[in-house]
């Protein structure tokens, strides 16, 4: 599932169109939106396009009394499967951006991990620094993706 994916539409719960969520009320919103953007625009572009094309044509047909957006279940499933399979690549891409464009935040995370080296769960103790680095990368991706 695409993180933060919100579906509009009928009782079938299928999306009429994919949207990047901009009202998710947490610190993770930018990270989730960047993950969505990377999934839809880079890693699962074909599946996202197929779903968009299907829902657009189904919506037109529904307005004319024909089929509905629920006819796109196969395309929706294909995008979800792709998103799940590509999530490690999405996270890696986010981390790659952080390492190049958010060096201060990455250095803070690395410093924290070094300080806790040998301690159980060192990286968990540095979660705030890790999140700040990922948030920075997400803002870069979202700013450049628009």
């Amino acid at each position: 599932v695409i993180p933060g994916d919100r579906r509009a539409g009928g009782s079938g719960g299928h999306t009429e169109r994919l949207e990047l969520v901009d009202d998710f009320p947490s610190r993770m919103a930018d990270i989730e939106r960047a993950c969505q953007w990377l999934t839809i625009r880079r890693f699962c572009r074909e599946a996202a396009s197929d779903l968009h094309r299907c829902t657009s044509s189904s919506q037109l047909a529904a307005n004319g009394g024909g089929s509905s957006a629920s006819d796109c279940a196969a395309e929706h499933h294909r995008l979800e499967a792709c998103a799940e399979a590509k999530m490690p690549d999405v996270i890696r891409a986010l981390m790659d951006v952080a390492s190049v464009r958010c060096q201060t935040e990455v250095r803070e995370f690395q410093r924290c991990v070094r300080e806790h080296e040998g301690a159980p769960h060192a990286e968990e103790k540095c979660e705030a620094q890790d999140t700040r680095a990922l948030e920075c990368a997400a803002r870069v991706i979202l700013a450049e993706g628009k």
Side-chain angles (χ1 to χ4, degrees), residues 15-138:
T15 170
E16 289 179 7
R17 92 187 163 131
L18 289 170
E19 297 179 357
L20 296 180
V21 179
D22 63 359
D23 63 343
F24 191 76
S26 82
R27 289 181 39 162
M28 302 300 278
D30 285 342
I31 296 171
E32 291 191 28
R33 289 174 46 223
C35 287
Q36 285 179 326
W37 191 93
L38 287 166
T39 298
I40 291 167
R41 303 290 181 171
R42 186 184 299 176
F43 294 103
C44 299
R45 178 173 261 186
E46 184 179 336
S49 294
D50 290 348
L51 178 59
H52 178 72
R53 201 171 15 262
C54 179
T55 55
S56 293
S57 64
S58 291
Q59 189 174 17
L60 288 173
N63 290 340
S67 61
S68 70
S70 64
D71 293 339
C72 301
E75 289 82 356
H76 187 265
H77 177 73
R78 183 170 166 236
L79 178 57
E80 284 186 338
C82 179
E84 186 174 322
K86 294 296 185 176
M87 188 52 67
D89 295 328
V90 170
I91 299 301
R92 194 172 308 111
L94 196 60
M95 290 172 22
D96 289 347
V97 170
S99 68
V100 172
R101 303 285 299 275
C102 304
Q103 293 179 2
T104 301
E105 292 84 351
V106 170
R107 277 193 299 271
E108 281 297 310
F109 171 70
Q110 292 169 339
R111 180 195 55 76
C112 180
V113 170
R114 276 193 309 275
E115 285 178 3
H116 294 94
E117 192 171 354
H121 312 291
E123 289 192 14
E124 289 176 14
K125 293 180 179 183
C126 302
E127 187 174 343
Q129 292 86 347
D130 188 29
T131 300
R132 279 195 290 277
L134 293 176
E135 285 173 335
C136 173

